[in-house]
Amino acid sequence: MFKKIPKFLYLVLVVATVASCSEYQKALKSEDTKVKYELAERFYKEGKFKKASRIFEQVVPKYRGKPQGERVTFLYARSLFEIEQYIVSGYQFERFVRSYPKSDSIQSAAFYEAKSYYMESPRYSIDQTETHKAINKLQAFINNYPESTFLDKANAMVDELTTKVEKKAYEIAKQYNTISDYKSSIKAVENFLSDYPGTSFREDAMFLKLSAMYNLATKSFETLMEGRYNDAASAYKTLVKFYPESKYREEADELMASITEELAKFSK
């Protein structure tokens, strides 16, 4: 059972909440920029980022071109990031980087600009346009700030996003094979291996190519079978050359046995 909150403490919390809300509403309606700024910064320090962002939104234009503008703009962008408004936070951090290139917070702003795009990257099965944008932003950060304390995090995010993009491309090739469009599957695998030579899906793609080539050969007109079985045999040799202990070795060996049997018919 949960312990009941003492009545006096409950009243204190209610009063504090009401006072905070009242103070917040007054600040939103106030014409005093200094009052707004101080309360927004206090809310930010207290972790009340939604309230802070609303007030900072009103304050930022007032401080543009003034000494406080740099800090206000950064805190506004960071508040937006904390409440998961990543599209807007990315824009605001980008604006900060352009406006304050000599700021002590420039690296942090550039990193969070890129991270905002990273946070908008969808799951691999969806269009990866946003993921490519995030990779470009992160790579630009890495190139511009190779000594940054954020470097390891940025590299880890690039690796994660790159794997997501690779998985998307690999799954497309795999889907072609699933729906028996073997020519498209083979072409997609070849493009995939060319585009991502260091991919973690390389072994999977090589076996997929072998499987698609074998399936294509079995479904071909007799005049095309021999050449296509030979292509499949080459795909098998490539797979076992690079991955002699492949997780697909047993399946690959079975396909190769069938390929050898079929090719033997053409030598008679």
Side-chain angles (χ1 to χ4, degrees):
M1 295 293 291
F2 293 107
K3 293 182 179 179
K4 291 184 178 180
I5 299 175
K7 190 173 182 180
F8 77 95
L9 181 56
Y10 175 77
L11 291 173
V12 169
L13 290 171
V14 170
V15 170
T17 301
V18 171
S20 175
C21 290
S22 176
E23 193 175 21
Y24 170 64
Q25 293 299 331
K26 286 181 180 178
L28 288 176
K29 298 174 183 177
S30 175
E31 297 296 324
D32 191 326
T33 303
K34 185 172 181 295
V35 169
K36 287 177 179 287
Y37 170 75
E38 290 177 349
L39 186 59
E41 185 155 341
R42 197 188 87 195
F43 280 143
Y44 179 88
K45 290 177 180 177
E46 292 174 352
K48 299 174 182 177
F49 299 112
K50 188 171 184 179
K51 289 183 176 180
S53 68
R54 285 285 307 281
I55 302 176
F56 277 133
E57 183 179 10
Q58 295 182 346
V59 168
V60 166
K62 305 291 184 181
Y63 283 107
R64 194 164 292 140
K66 297 180 180 179
Q68 303 96 320
E70 178 184 331
R71 180 170 175 79
V72 171
T73 304
F74 182 84
L75 293 182
Y76 175 44
R78 189 61 192 271
S79 296
L80 290 167
F81 182 88
E82 293 296 337
I83 60 173
E84 301 179 8
Q85 296 292 315
Y86 300 123
I87 294 176
V88 190
S89 70
Y91 170 76
Q92 291 298 332
F93 278 121
E94 183 177 10
R95 188 174 182 178
F96 179 92
V97 170
R98 289 200 311 267
S99 300
Y100 305 101
K102 296 182 180 180
S103 170
D104 291 339
S105 300
I106 190 70
Q107 285 190 30
S108 182
F111 173 73
Y112 277 100
E113 175 195 347
K115 190 173 182 180
S116 294
Y117 282 87
Y118 162 83
M119 297 300 291
E120 280 293 298
S121 173
R123 63 183 183 274
Y124 82 89
S125 58
I126 295 176
D127 178 75
Q128 293 299 300
T129 300
E130 294 304 317
T131 302
H132 285 290
K133 288 181 183 178
I135 291 172
N136 290 337
K137 288 288 184 180
L138 285 162
Q139 195 58 59
F141 172 81
I142 291 167
N143 294 341
N144 290 332
Y145 306 102
E147 304 299 324
S148 173
T149 55
F150 294 109
L151 190 64
D152 288 344
K153 291 181 180 179
N155 278 319
M157 285 189 280
V158 168
D159 288 344
E160 179 188 336
L161 296 179
T162 300
T163 298
K164 186 187 293 188
V165 170
E166 291 172 0
K167 184 172 177 62
K168 171 75 172 180
Y170 168 71
E171 289 293 335
I172 289 173
K174 189 176 178 182
Q175 183 62 26
Y176 281 130
N177 192 49
T178 301
I179 63 174
S180 302
D181 187 352
Y182 304 122
K183 287 184 179 179
S184 294
S185 182
I186 293 164
K187 185 62 177 177
V189 169
E190 289 173 345
N191 289 339
F192 173 74
L193 291 172
S194 175
D195 293 340
Y196 308 103
T199 178
S200 58
F201 298 100
R202 188 164 179 254
E203 179 183 356
D204 305 275
M206 284 184 173
F207 176 73
L208 177 60
K209 184 177 181 180
L210 164 59
S211 177
M213 284 184 159
Y214 173 80
N215 289 328
L216 178 62
T218 61
K219 304 294 183 183
S220 296
F221 293 113
E222 188 173 348
T223 54
L224 299 173
M225 281 185 174
E226 184 177 9
R228 287 177 174 174
Y229 275 123
N230 279 318
D231 289 341
S234 295
Y236 169 83
K237 291 174 184 176
T238 301
L239 173 66
V240 297
K241 175 185 176 181
F242 287 100
Y243 301 98
E245 302 298 326
S246 174
K247 59 188 176 183
Y248 299 108
R249 186 59 189 262
E250 185 176 345
E251 293 173 82
D253 286 347
E254 290 176 1
L255 289 177
M256 189 58 202
S258 181
I259 291 168
T260 302
E261 184 179 333
E262 292 298 325
L263 285 173
K265 297 176 182 177
F266 295 96
S267 61
K268 292 180 180 179

